[in-house]
Amino acid sequence: MINRRTFTKHAGLAAASCIVPGIALAQAAREPRRIGFLMPLTGGSGKLGQMMLEGAVLSVEEVNVGRGAGGRPVELVQEDSQARAQQRIAGLRKLVHVNKTDVIFTGWTSVVSAVAPLATEAKVMLVSASTASPAVRGISPYFQSTWMFDDETVKLILPYARDKLKVRSLGILTVVSDLGSALAQAVKADWTRMGGAVAAEDVHQPGEASFRPILLKMLSAKP
């Protein structure tokens, strides 16, 4: 037979077992959904990264003015990738393991290429706001680009150049980078397949200040 003390004890434990999960759920409902922002905020690409950050901050503010995401506020956590290997990897690890972000916005082909394997391992979604290189297509099941890849863009631009602008011979000038290389390959492959001629090809450095020598060389080939 259960006495009053034993009954009260067990009833209290039962009540606590119901209340504690309720408290935990209420606390979880107030916890923000953290979104990582891994972009170059300083360095050569810092200006573009800062512009993207302003847009991301504005979007988060608009979401939070409403009911948030699923009733929870959204918190944007920033990390400066500087578009460099060490910073981008360290930044992603911090966003995943310290800040516990569910999704990370990132960009730049070199950054995505470096962090995609880590995101796959951690099962954290990467969304790119500035990666157009086909080199990252299918790089991870946890990666999605919001931009059209350059080889898809080329398929729209080149027919217009041939049919509407009556272009017959191209000069291809691209930046020395993963993106530039992939773009040059896509243009050359599609243009020659369409029967067009490539009069000249050249590259320039990311920080190039004077294009006159390169352009004079290319113009001499009469593209």
Side-chain angles (χ1 to χ4, degrees):
M1 191 168 194
I2 301 175
N3 60 36
R4 182 178 296 179
R5 179 175 293 180
T6 303
F7 175 81
T8 303
K9 175 183 176 182
H10 285 282
L13 289 173
S17 68
C18 294
I19 292 170
V20 170
I23 294 173
L25 287 173
Q27 289 175 340
R30 290 192 297 269
E31 279 290 311
R33 294 183 183 273
R34 294 183 178 88
I35 296 177
F37 186 87
L38 182 63
M39 293 283 193
L41 302 176
T42 59
S45 301
K47 185 174 182 180
L48 184 55
Q50 287 288 348
M51 291 170 62
M52 292 180 177
L53 176 60
E54 291 174 7
V57 168
L58 180 61
S59 297
V60 168
E61 289 174 353
E62 289 179 347
V63 169
N64 286 336
V65 164
R67 298 187 64 252
R72 290 165 59 184
V74 175
E75 179 184 334
L76 191 68
V77 186
Q78 309 167 28
E79 283 294 325
D80 184 5
S81 73
Q82 296 182 16
R84 295 180 179 177
Q86 192 57 43
Q87 283 82 357
R88 62 199 177 204
I89 292 173
L92 183 123
R93 285 176 174 160
K94 182 174 182 294
L95 290 171
V96 170
H97 300 298
V98 178
N99 303 117
K100 308 296 183 183
T101 55
D102 300 316
V103 61
I104 297 172
F105 282 88
T106 189
W108 277 255
T109 302
S110 59
V111 175
V112 171
S113 298
V115 302
L118 301 176
T120 303
E121 183 181 346
K123 294 182 171 57
V124 171
M125 192 69 191
L126 290 179
V127 179
S128 173
S130 63
T131 306
S133 172
V136 297
R137 180 189 282 115
I139 197 170
S140 167
Y142 291 90
F143 171 74
Q144 176 66 48
S145 177
T146 62
W147 281 34
M148 181 183 287
F149 290 117
D150 273 339
D151 57 349
E152 297 165 345
T153 308
V154 161
K155 286 177 171 58
L156 299 176
I157 294 174
L158 294 184
Y160 180 85
R162 181 192 62 184
D163 301 334
K164 300 295 184 180
L165 303 181
K166 306 304 179 185
V167 174
R168 294 292 175 262
S169 178
L170 281 184
I172 303 174
L173 176 62
T174 50
V175 65
V176 178
S177 69
D178 294 336
L179 176 59
S181 176
L183 176 58
Q185 290 174 18
V187 170
K188 186 175 181 180
D190 272 47
W191 187 244
T192 53
R193 178 183 55 78
M194 291 166 54
V198 177
E201 294 181 71
D202 213 329
V203 295
H204 67 85
Q205 296 299 322
E208 193 73 54
S210 174
F211 290 88
R212 183 177 176 80
I214 299 175
L215 288 176
L216 287 174
K217 178 183 173 183
M218 295 195 76
L219 289 171
S220 67
K222 302 188 185 312

